[in-house]
Amino acid sequence: RTAMDYWCALWFWPIEKAKLLPSREEFLLDLTVLLEGTSQGVALVGGADQTTLFPDDTPRQEALMLVDEFGFVDVDKLTREVPRLATVKELSEKHRFLHWELEFAEVFADRGGFDLIVGNPPWIRVEWNEGGVMGDFEPSFVLKGHSATKLAKLRREAMGYLSGLREAYLDEHVEFAGMQGFLNAEQNYPLLRKTPANLFKCFLPRAWDSTNESGAAGFLHPEGVYDDPKGGALREELYLRLRYHLQFQNELRLFPEVHHETLFSVNIYGKQVVHPSFLHISNLFATSTVDASTMLVDAPHPRLYDFAKTDERRGNVPGIKDIEGSWCTTGHPSRAIFVSGEQLELFARIYDGPGTSPLAARLPAIHARELLTVLERFVQFPNRLADLGDGLFTTVMWNETNSQNDGTIRRETRFPEEVSELVLQGPHIHVANPFFKTPRAVCSNNLAYDPLDLTDLPEDYLPRTNYVPACATSIYSERRPCAPWELTDPWSGGFFRLAHRGMLSQAGERTLISTVIPPEVAHIHGLQSTVFRNQNHLISAAAVSVSLPADFFIKATGRANLHYSWLQLPLIAVSAEIAARILALTCLTSHFAPLWSSNWSPAFLRCGWTKTDPRLDSSRFSNLDAIWTQRLALRSDYERRQALIEIDVLVSQALGLSLDELLTMFRIQFPVLQQNERDTWYDQNGRIVFTVNKGLPGVGVDRSRWNKIRDLKSGTVPRTIIDDTLPGGPRERTITYVAPFDRCDREADYRVAWAEFERRARAAT
């Protein structure tokens, strides 16, 4: 045991005892004594001209006193008398190293390992937090939320006047560095190499090594092993052992102390097999759904595709929420998906790079079997954005902390004087909308933003920014990441960017939030932006990114961060119908005039809405012009919704999807969007008069007033507000709603648009 403790102790060796650290030769000789335990070993290492187990001045006689009458070394006495081994003993008592094969020797000898291992391992990333250590001595270090640079300065000062801080700091750092080094060491956890250290991951290979041939291991753990881009090596082992993967969302508070949006899964592992074979159910909120979806299945690993097809009594697959807006716990055979090598190959081709082994594929959160056919359409599409190679360049631009520390940007909330001063953050943008919200004059968090009324914006409008350049224009421009093929002056190069929010809200109305932004505009790392060598590719990527199929594609990853997964989206041909709509949605101010003019086509004049409604100007498309003016942009809530509906249909048709597949995606995967559509009402001018959409605070009247006016058959309803979204300070203005009010039916609108675009396609041929 001491020899095994010795190995572990080396990772946690105290800094103040660094002189006692053994060399490789000394370590091996120490092990010889501990493992052989004979006087011959002591004599060997106690010789005058040998590397010694003891300090150089230890007499040979004292060394031999550690040998008992039978010639064996007294290990306990050895660890007390020898400083190096005394340190090992001290560390082993502090950290309580566990050696499974030694501790449970009879289990491994008699049964080859455990029959069953179950648990909920700690979900802890091993990260250094010096603020927490310093906060134990001075709470203000934590309470004031200092930056890393500020903490480093305070640390140097505090160690001079806070008694005990230096010792505690070093002790904590040694423990952190030791733990991180041990967990990241390839010799300890070879399957976890290059992946972020998280304690729960370490339990998996340990359990696999500790179960016998017929044993099983069951763990409740986060989803990180299934979507980590660098976790392929672990998945290659995991999938061959995985039997059940049941992914839960904590919305019903199965674990009250955990955040309600937390994803986790129940995972059952068994003996390694030649070919992967496991049951996969996603978007679970209650354990009863598992039983209800699999209760007719007797086989441990059923091929549920055939089973689900034969059971027509269950009706349509329930979505994530029911018609009442509650989280759905109803089971259905199609919810249980059998995953074999064929499905993993599909996932690898969609979500991973070329040549990725199916066994290393990331596992998407597929709600029902029917949606697998939608993913197959993505695979079958011949071109992806990633195929553009160096024809595009993606960046997160300014890191919010580092770029302040190096003097690139500074925190200052105000309206920018020119477009190059604007630094965007995630809440600024929404789907096909570069001017979704503006920060308030006092912006302390991500909720301190107000929605913008697009019908009220000046043609040169810029929203408030929370950051402005902190250095000279020339330096600011030089530091800005750009593609090698961008013009010498990147600020005037005319390269419009496609921006995406980096953080993904899986439980939100939409998950993939994308829009086009002007070339001079910067952003912090909460956004990712991409420039395209070919502007036609920008229009294609923008149209696909704002579509419902693309949103489903990203939702299916189950990820909380976008990274670069959107590059696997298809690169479709841009028709006039698509270009006219995405440009009219995006080109809201004069900053987009070059984008409009360079992509305008006479074919726009032959486009038109797919349905007739007085809120949709029937002559809008026929009056489009190559020179941008304010009237060309889509500004009313009703028009913008209809344009996005039609883009959903056009992109779906370009991908080869069917109308039923589009409707299935909407019904199953977009519960919040359904809920918002059911209770969002429009007036006769196309303005939202009432909505339950939590992303639109202050838009429309409140619930109490809505209940009084909702049944009006005619007339107007004025509403006076204090608006602080434009330069010049708060102003009072009146919004007038024109009755009667009505809702939209998204499924009906999809059907109408689908039929009309099919009719136009037939007419064109």
PDB file of all heavy atoms in Angstrom, residues 713-739:
ATOM      1  N   LYS A 713     -64.304  44.815 -31.685  1.00  0.00           N
ATOM      2  CA  LYS A 713     -64.536  44.518 -33.105  1.00  0.00           C
ATOM      3  C   LYS A 713     -64.037  45.633 -34.009  1.00  0.00           C
ATOM      4  O   LYS A 713     -63.830  45.430 -35.206  1.00  0.00           O
ATOM      5  CB  LYS A 713     -66.024  44.293 -33.353  1.00  0.00           C
ATOM      6  CG  LYS A 713     -66.631  43.180 -32.506  1.00  0.00           C
ATOM      7  CD  LYS A 713     -65.936  41.851 -32.741  1.00  0.00           C
ATOM      8  CE  LYS A 713     -66.561  40.750 -31.891  1.00  0.00           C
ATOM      9  NZ  LYS A 713     -65.803  39.468 -32.004  1.00  0.00           N
ATOM     10  N   SER A 714     -63.857  46.826 -33.457  1.00  0.00           N
ATOM     11  CA  SER A 714     -63.359  47.963 -34.226  1.00  0.00           C
ATOM     12  C   SER A 714     -62.843  49.012 -33.252  1.00  0.00           C
ATOM     13  O   SER A 714     -62.933  48.851 -32.033  1.00  0.00           O
ATOM     14  CB  SER A 714     -64.465  48.556 -35.099  1.00  0.00           C
ATOM     15  OG  SER A 714     -65.540  49.039 -34.277  1.00  0.00           O
ATOM     16  N   GLY A 715     -62.313  50.103 -33.802  1.00  0.00           N
ATOM     17  CA  GLY A 715     -61.831  51.179 -32.956  1.00  0.00           C
ATOM     18  C   GLY A 715     -60.339  51.099 -32.709  1.00  0.00           C
ATOM     19  O   GLY A 715     -59.638  50.218 -33.219  1.00  0.00           O
ATOM     20  N   THR A 716     -59.848  52.053 -31.948  1.00  0.00           N
ATOM     21  CA  THR A 716     -58.419  52.133 -31.645  1.00  0.00           C
ATOM     22  C   THR A 716     -58.177  52.128 -30.142  1.00  0.00           C
ATOM     23  O   THR A 716     -59.040  52.522 -29.364  1.00  0.00           O
ATOM     24  CB  THR A 716     -57.800  53.399 -32.250  1.00  0.00           C
ATOM     25  OG1 THR A 716     -58.461  54.549 -31.702  1.00  0.00           O
ATOM     26  CG2 THR A 716     -57.943  53.401 -33.765  1.00  0.00           C
ATOM     27  N   VAL A 717     -56.996  51.697 -29.781  1.00  0.00           N
ATOM     28  CA  VAL A 717     -56.589  51.664 -28.378  1.00  0.00           C
ATOM     29  C   VAL A 717     -55.243  52.367 -28.267  1.00  0.00           C
ATOM     30  O   VAL A 717     -54.222  51.842 -28.729  1.00  0.00           O
ATOM     31  CB  VAL A 717     -56.466  50.218 -27.858  1.00  0.00           C
ATOM     32  CG1 VAL A 717     -55.972  50.226 -26.408  1.00  0.00           C
ATOM     33  CG2 VAL A 717     -57.782  49.472 -27.984  1.00  0.00           C
ATOM     34  N   PRO A 718     -55.192  53.557 -27.682  1.00  0.00           N
ATOM     35  CA  PRO A 718     -53.912  54.258 -27.519  1.00  0.00           C
ATOM     36  C   PRO A 718     -53.159  53.773 -26.281  1.00  0.00           C
ATOM     37  O   PRO A 718     -53.757  53.361 -25.291  1.00  0.00           O
ATOM     38  CB  PRO A 718     -54.330  55.720 -27.364  1.00  0.00           C
ATOM     39  CG  PRO A 718     -55.684  55.634 -26.725  1.00  0.00           C
ATOM     40  CD  PRO A 718     -56.335  54.379 -27.242  1.00  0.00           C
ATOM     41  N   ARG A 719     -51.847  53.830 -26.375  1.00  0.00           N
ATOM     42  CA  ARG A 719     -51.006  53.456 -25.227  1.00  0.00           C
ATOM     43  C   ARG A 719     -49.813  54.398 -25.190  1.00  0.00           C
ATOM     44  O   ARG A 719     -49.040  54.472 -26.142  1.00  0.00           O
ATOM     45  CB  ARG A 719     -50.527  52.010 -25.376  1.00  0.00           C
ATOM     46  CG  ARG A 719     -49.538  51.560 -24.293  1.00  0.00           C
ATOM     47  CD  ARG A 719     -49.116  50.126 -24.526  1.00  0.00           C
ATOM     48  NE  ARG A 719     -48.062  49.712 -23.617  1.00  0.00           N
ATOM     49  CZ  ARG A 719     -46.889  49.180 -23.978  1.00  0.00           C
ATOM     50  NH1 ARG A 719     -46.645  48.974 -25.272  1.00  0.00           N
ATOM     51  NH2 ARG A 719     -45.995  48.835 -23.084  1.00  0.00           N
ATOM     52  N   THR A 720     -49.671  55.120 -24.111  1.00  0.00           N
ATOM     53  CA  THR A 720     -48.579  56.076 -23.967  1.00  0.00           C
ATOM     54  C   THR A 720     -47.447  55.436 -23.171  1.00  0.00           C
ATOM     55  O   THR A 720     -47.671  54.845 -22.112  1.00  0.00           O
ATOM     56  CB  THR A 720     -49.062  57.351 -23.264  1.00  0.00           C
ATOM     57  OG1 THR A 720     -50.110  57.940 -24.039  1.00  0.00           O
ATOM     58  CG2 THR A 720     -47.926  58.356 -23.123  1.00  0.00           C
ATOM     59  N   ILE A 721     -46.237  55.556 -23.699  1.00  0.00           N
ATOM     60  CA  ILE A 721     -45.069  54.961 -23.044  1.00  0.00           C
ATOM     61  C   ILE A 721     -43.955  55.991 -22.939  1.00  0.00           C
ATOM     62  O   ILE A 721     -43.959  57.005 -23.654  1.00  0.00           O
ATOM     63  CB  ILE A 721     -44.548  53.725 -23.807  1.00  0.00           C
ATOM     64  CG1 ILE A 721     -44.045  54.123 -25.199  1.00  0.00           C
ATOM     65  CG2 ILE A 721     -45.618  52.653 -23.908  1.00  0.00           C
ATOM     66  CD1 ILE A 721     -43.311  53.023 -25.932  1.00  0.00           C
ATOM     67  N   ILE A 722     -43.020  55.739 -22.035  1.00  0.00           N
ATOM     68  CA  ILE A 722     -41.788  56.520 -21.959  1.00  0.00           C
ATOM     69  C   ILE A 722     -40.702  55.694 -22.633  1.00  0.00           C
ATOM     70  O   ILE A 722     -40.344  54.611 -22.180  1.00  0.00           O
ATOM     71  CB  ILE A 722     -41.396  56.828 -20.501  1.00  0.00           C
ATOM     72  CG1 ILE A 722     -42.525  57.577 -19.805  1.00  0.00           C
ATOM     73  CG2 ILE A 722     -40.104  57.625 -20.464  1.00  0.00           C
ATOM     74  CD1 ILE A 722     -42.866  58.912 -20.440  1.00  0.00           C
ATOM     75  N   ASP A 723     -40.209  56.205 -23.742  1.00  0.00           N
ATOM     76  CA  ASP A 723     -39.259  55.475 -24.580  1.00  0.00           C
ATOM     77  C   ASP A 723     -37.863  56.068 -24.410  1.00  0.00           C
ATOM     78  O   ASP A 723     -37.651  57.265 -24.615  1.00  0.00           O
ATOM     79  CB  ASP A 723     -39.704  55.581 -26.044  1.00  0.00           C
ATOM     80  CG  ASP A 723     -38.906  54.660 -26.961  1.00  0.00           C
ATOM     81  OD1 ASP A 723     -37.751  54.359 -26.623  1.00  0.00           O
ATOM     82  OD2 ASP A 723     -39.436  54.260 -28.006  1.00  0.00           O
ATOM     83  N   ASP A 724     -36.890  55.216 -24.051  1.00  0.00           N
ATOM     84  CA  ASP A 724     -35.514  55.674 -23.889  1.00  0.00           C
ATOM     85  C   ASP A 724     -34.569  54.882 -24.784  1.00  0.00           C
ATOM     86  O   ASP A 724     -33.431  54.597 -24.422  1.00  0.00           O
ATOM     87  CB  ASP A 724     -35.096  55.536 -22.420  1.00  0.00           C
ATOM     88  CG  ASP A 724     -33.759  56.220 -22.128  1.00  0.00           C
ATOM     89  OD1 ASP A 724     -33.424  57.185 -22.838  1.00  0.00           O
ATOM     90  OD2 ASP A 724     -33.041  55.766 -21.216  1.00  0.00           O
ATOM     91  N   THR A 725     -35.058  54.492 -25.967  1.00  0.00           N
ATOM     92  CA  THR A 725     -34.253  53.658 -26.864  1.00  0.00           C
ATOM     93  C   THR A 725     -33.540  54.455 -27.952  1.00  0.00           C
ATOM     94  O   THR A 725     -32.760  53.886 -28.712  1.00  0.00           O
ATOM     95  CB  THR A 725     -35.130  52.593 -27.544  1.00  0.00           C
ATOM     96  OG1 THR A 725     -36.137  53.239 -28.330  1.00  0.00           O
ATOM     97  CG2 THR A 725     -35.802  51.693 -26.505  1.00  0.00           C
ATOM     98  N   LEU A 726     -33.809  55.771 -28.035  1.00  0.00           N
ATOM     99  CA  LEU A 726     -33.166  56.612 -29.043  1.00  0.00           C
ATOM    100  C   LEU A 726     -32.294  57.656 -28.367  1.00  0.00           C
ATOM    101  O   LEU A 726     -32.514  58.016 -27.206  1.00  0.00           O
ATOM    102  CB  LEU A 726     -34.222  57.308 -29.910  1.00  0.00           C
ATOM    103  CG  LEU A 726     -35.212  56.432 -30.672  1.00  0.00           C
ATOM    104  CD1 LEU A 726     -36.109  57.299 -31.544  1.00  0.00           C
ATOM    105  CD2 LEU A 726     -34.498  55.396 -31.515  1.00  0.00           C
ATOM    106  N   PRO A 727     -31.275  58.175 -29.083  1.00  0.00           N
ATOM    107  CA  PRO A 727     -30.468  59.253 -28.513  1.00  0.00           C
ATOM    108  C   PRO A 727     -31.339  60.466 -28.184  1.00  0.00           C
ATOM    109  O   PRO A 727     -32.384  60.687 -28.792  1.00  0.00           O
ATOM    110  CB  PRO A 727     -29.472  59.577 -29.634  1.00  0.00           C
ATOM    111  CG  PRO A 727     -29.415  58.336 -30.469  1.00  0.00           C
ATOM    112  CD  PRO A 727     -30.788  57.747 -30.412  1.00  0.00           C
ATOM    113  N   GLY A 728     -30.892  61.246 -27.211  1.00  0.00           N
ATOM    114  CA  GLY A 728     -31.651  62.437 -26.841  1.00  0.00           C
ATOM    115  C   GLY A 728     -32.386  62.320 -25.532  1.00  0.00           C
ATOM    116  O   GLY A 728     -32.998  63.281 -25.069  1.00  0.00           O
ATOM    117  N   GLY A 729     -32.349  61.142 -24.925  1.00  0.00           N
ATOM    118  CA  GLY A 729     -32.984  60.982 -23.628  1.00  0.00           C
ATOM    119  C   GLY A 729     -34.395  60.447 -23.725  1.00  0.00           C
ATOM    120  O   GLY A 729     -34.969  60.308 -24.821  1.00  0.00           O
ATOM    121  N   PRO A 730     -35.004  60.112 -22.584  1.00  0.00           N
ATOM    122  CA  PRO A 730     -36.361  59.557 -22.568  1.00  0.00           C
ATOM    123  C   PRO A 730     -37.367  60.513 -23.207  1.00  0.00           C
ATOM    124  O   PRO A 730     -37.258  61.732 -23.085  1.00  0.00           O
ATOM    125  CB  PRO A 730     -36.647  59.384 -21.067  1.00  0.00           C
ATOM    126  CG  PRO A 730     -35.300  59.316 -20.421  1.00  0.00           C
ATOM    127  CD  PRO A 730     -34.420  60.210 -21.231  1.00  0.00           C
ATOM    128  N   ARG A 731     -38.325  59.931 -23.905  1.00  0.00           N
ATOM    129  CA  ARG A 731     -39.376  60.724 -24.544  1.00  0.00           C
ATOM    130  C   ARG A 731     -40.699  60.007 -24.397  1.00  0.00           C
ATOM    131  O   ARG A 731     -40.762  58.780 -24.285  1.00  0.00           O
ATOM    132  CB  ARG A 731     -39.057  60.934 -26.024  1.00  0.00           C
ATOM    133  CG  ARG A 731     -39.019  59.630 -26.802  1.00  0.00           C
ATOM    134  CD  ARG A 731     -38.357  59.773 -28.162  1.00  0.00           C
ATOM    135  NE  ARG A 731     -38.172  58.474 -28.783  1.00  0.00           N
ATOM    136  CZ  ARG A 731     -38.898  58.021 -29.820  1.00  0.00           C
ATOM    137  NH1 ARG A 731     -39.835  58.775 -30.366  1.00  0.00           N
ATOM    138  NH2 ARG A 731     -38.672  56.824 -30.320  1.00  0.00           N
ATOM    139  N   GLU A 732     -41.736  60.768 -24.404  1.00  0.00           N
ATOM    140  CA  GLU A 732     -43.077  60.198 -24.328  1.00  0.00           C
ATOM    141  C   GLU A 732     -43.628  60.041 -25.736  1.00  0.00           C
ATOM    142  O   GLU A 732     -43.529  60.946 -26.558  1.00  0.00           O
ATOM    143  CB  GLU A 732     -43.983  61.123 -23.511  1.00  0.00           C
ATOM    144  CG  GLU A 732     -45.397  60.591 -23.332  1.00  0.00           C
ATOM    145  CD  GLU A 732     -46.254  61.503 -22.471  1.00  0.00           C
ATOM    146  OE1 GLU A 732     -46.070  61.508 -21.238  1.00  0.00           O
ATOM    147  OE2 GLU A 732     -47.099  62.218 -23.047  1.00  0.00           O
ATOM    148  N   ARG A 733     -44.154  58.860 -26.023  1.00  0.00           N
ATOM    149  CA  ARG A 733     -44.801  58.670 -27.320  1.00  0.00           C
ATOM    150  C   ARG A 733     -46.002  57.762 -27.174  1.00  0.00           C
ATOM    151  O   ARG A 733     -46.108  56.985 -26.217  1.00  0.00           O
ATOM    152  CB  ARG A 733     -43.834  58.118 -28.363  1.00  0.00           C
ATOM    153  CG  ARG A 733     -43.360  56.701 -28.179  1.00  0.00           C
ATOM    154  CD  ARG A 733     -42.305  56.369 -29.236  1.00  0.00           C
ATOM    155  NE  ARG A 733     -41.820  55.003 -29.135  1.00  0.00           N
ATOM    156  CZ  ARG A 733     -42.251  53.993 -29.907  1.00  0.00           C
ATOM    157  NH1 ARG A 733     -43.176  54.209 -30.830  1.00  0.00           N
ATOM    158  NH2 ARG A 733     -41.758  52.775 -29.759  1.00  0.00           N
ATOM    159  N   THR A 734     -46.898  57.839 -28.126  1.00  0.00           N
ATOM    160  CA  THR A 734     -48.147  57.083 -28.071  1.00  0.00           C
ATOM    161  C   THR A 734     -48.192  56.050 -29.194  1.00  0.00           C
ATOM    162  O   THR A 734     -47.930  56.376 -30.359  1.00  0.00           O
ATOM    163  CB  THR A 734     -49.362  58.017 -28.180  1.00  0.00           C
ATOM    164  OG1 THR A 734     -49.345  58.935 -27.092  1.00  0.00           O
ATOM    165  CG2 THR A 734     -50.660  57.220 -28.140  1.00  0.00           C
ATOM    166  N   ILE A 735     -48.484  54.827 -28.817  1.00  0.00           N
ATOM    167  CA  ILE A 735     -48.677  53.740 -29.776  1.00  0.00           C
ATOM    168  C   ILE A 735     -50.171  53.485 -29.883  1.00  0.00           C
ATOM    169  O   ILE A 735     -50.866  53.389 -28.858  1.00  0.00           O
ATOM    170  CB  ILE A 735     -47.957  52.466 -29.314  1.00  0.00           C
ATOM    171  CG1 ILE A 735     -46.446  52.712 -29.208  1.00  0.00           C
ATOM    172  CG2 ILE A 735     -48.232  51.300 -30.259  1.00  0.00           C
ATOM    173  CD1 ILE A 735     -45.687  51.562 -28.583  1.00  0.00           C
ATOM    174  N   THR A 736     -50.672  53.373 -31.094  1.00  0.00           N
ATOM    175  CA  THR A 736     -52.109  53.158 -31.302  1.00  0.00           C
ATOM    176  C   THR A 736     -52.345  51.795 -31.926  1.00  0.00           C
ATOM    177  O   THR A 736     -51.773  51.474 -32.980  1.00  0.00           O
ATOM    178  CB  THR A 736     -52.702  54.251 -32.208  1.00  0.00           C
ATOM    179  OG1 THR A 736     -52.471  55.536 -31.601  1.00  0.00           O
ATOM    180  CG2 THR A 736     -54.195  54.036 -32.388  1.00  0.00           C
ATOM    181  N   TYR A 737     -53.172  50.987 -31.284  1.00  0.00           N
ATOM    182  CA  TYR A 737     -53.538  49.664 -31.787  1.00  0.00           C
ATOM    183  C   TYR A 737     -54.920  49.743 -32.428  1.00  0.00           C
ATOM    184  O   TYR A 737     -55.840  50.369 -31.878  1.00  0.00           O
ATOM    185  CB  TYR A 737     -53.553  48.640 -30.652  1.00  0.00           C
ATOM    186  CG  TYR A 737     -52.251  48.562 -29.885  1.00  0.00           C
ATOM    187  CD1 TYR A 737     -52.147  49.114 -28.606  1.00  0.00           C
ATOM    188  CD2 TYR A 737     -51.127  47.966 -30.439  1.00  0.00           C
ATOM    189  CE1 TYR A 737     -50.959  49.051 -27.892  1.00  0.00           C
ATOM    190  CE2 TYR A 737     -49.928  47.901 -29.734  1.00  0.00           C
ATOM    191  CZ  TYR A 737     -49.858  48.455 -28.459  1.00  0.00           C
ATOM    192  OH  TYR A 737     -48.674  48.404 -27.768  1.00  0.00           O
ATOM    193  N   VAL A 738     -55.043  49.103 -33.586  1.00  0.00           N
ATOM    194  CA  VAL A 738     -56.291  49.147 -34.344  1.00  0.00           C
ATOM    195  C   VAL A 738     -56.981  47.790 -34.273  1.00  0.00           C
ATOM    196  O   VAL A 738     -56.407  46.763 -34.662  1.00  0.00           O
ATOM    197  CB  VAL A 738     -56.037  49.532 -35.821  1.00  0.00           C
ATOM    198  CG1 VAL A 738     -57.355  49.579 -36.588  1.00  0.00           C
ATOM    199  CG2 VAL A 738     -55.312  50.877 -35.899  1.00  0.00           C
ATOM    200  N   ALA A 739     -58.205  47.767 -33.728  1.00  0.00           N
ATOM    201  CA  ALA A 739     -58.991  46.535 -33.621  1.00  0.00           C
ATOM    202  C   ALA A 739     -59.675  46.232 -34.955  1.00  0.00           C
ATOM    203  O   ALA A 739     -59.857  47.130 -35.786  1.00  0.00           O
ATOM    204  CB  ALA A 739     -60.007  46.682 -32.502  1.00  0.00           C
TER     205      ALA A 739
END
